[in-house]
């Protein structure tokens, strides 16, 4: 004698359900400005890496310094700034290890290149794959709209593999936009 409920199977309603925000999405209003800053940091790191690559720099230690030490310091600053905005919520405690694991994965790309005796930045397309994976998780936790950023970053990874000389420039622009656009939207919503 239990009631049976079902949703419509129409494609437009299915797409709307996939792309809607979850009840956790309002927490992102605290992250808007931080994501805009993160976009800038990613863009600067990527541009610096691209310029070094275009000048023929092949020393892995330099790239490791930019991506591991530079972004590691930024991650610490980012988290401290977030803590100043108020108590860290349960869902933020869940997403923090995802972000941390992406940072560790990115940091390991450089020793892997060295161990495999690959030229510097050979594994650069994996930056798009790792970042795309993080946005897939964000889509499930916060808003299905993040599937669009995930797709952009995964496509970016494929383009990076083909356009090796411009890989870091491409990644920098795409990744910065993937963080800046939602950051701006959530910051705008917070101010309203």
């Amino acid at each position: 004698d239990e009631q049976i409920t079902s949703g419509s199977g129409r494609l437009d309603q299915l797409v709307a359900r996939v792309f809607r925000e979850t009840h956790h999405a309002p927490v992102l209003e605290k992250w808007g400005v931080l994501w805009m800053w993160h976009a800038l940091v990613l863009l600067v790191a990527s541009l610096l890496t691209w310029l070094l690559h275009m000048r023929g720099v092949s020393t892995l230690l330099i790239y490791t310094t930019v991506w591991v030490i530079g972004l590691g310091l930024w991650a610490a600053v980012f988290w401290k700034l977030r803590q100043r905005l108020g108590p860290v919520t349960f869902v933020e405690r869940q997403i923090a290890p995802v972000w941390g694991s992406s940072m560790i994965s990115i940091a390991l790309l450089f020793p892997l290149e060295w161990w495999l005796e690959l030229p510097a930045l050979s594994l650069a397309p994996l930056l798009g794959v790792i970042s795309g994976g993080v946005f897939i998780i964000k889509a499930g936790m916060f808003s299905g709209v993040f599937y669009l950023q995930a797709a952009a970053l995964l496509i970016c990874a494929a383009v990076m593999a083909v356009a090796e000389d411009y890989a870091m420039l491409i990644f920098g622009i795409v990744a910065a936009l993937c963080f800046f656009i939602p950051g701006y939207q959530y910051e705008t919503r917070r101010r309203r």
Side-chain angles (χ1 to χ4, degrees), residues 60-170:
L60 280 173
L61 184 58
I62 293 172
Y63 298 116
T64 303
T65 301
V66 171
W67 285 91
V68 177
I69 297 171
L71 287 181
L73 290 171
W74 165 241
V77 169
F78 182 100
W79 194 246
K80 282 294 179 193
L81 290 173
R82 169 52 201 94
Q83 288 175 327
R84 292 176 67 189
L85 296 173
V88 176
T89 65
F90 173 74
V91 73
E92 288 175 299
R93 284 190 196 94
Q94 289 180 318
I95 199 70
V98 173
W99 189 47
S101 68
S102 72
M103 298 291 286
I104 292 167
S105 299
I106 289 168
L108 287 175
L109 293 178
F110 301 100
L112 285 174
E113 286 177 340
W114 179 73
W115 290 325
L116 296 172
E117 298 178 1
L118 296 171
L121 304 179
S122 294
L123 299 177
L126 290 176
L127 292 169
V129 174
I130 293 166
S131 301
V134 170
F135 273 97
I136 290 171
I137 294 168
K138 289 178 186 178
M141 293 178 75
F142 298 112
S143 172
V145 174
F146 290 131
Y147 287 123
L148 300 175
Q149 280 92 341
L153 286 159
L154 294 173
I155 292 168
C156 172
V159 173
M160 290 170 71
V162 175
E164 294 175 18
D165 283 342
Y166 297 94
M168 293 308 300
L169 177 64
I170 294 165

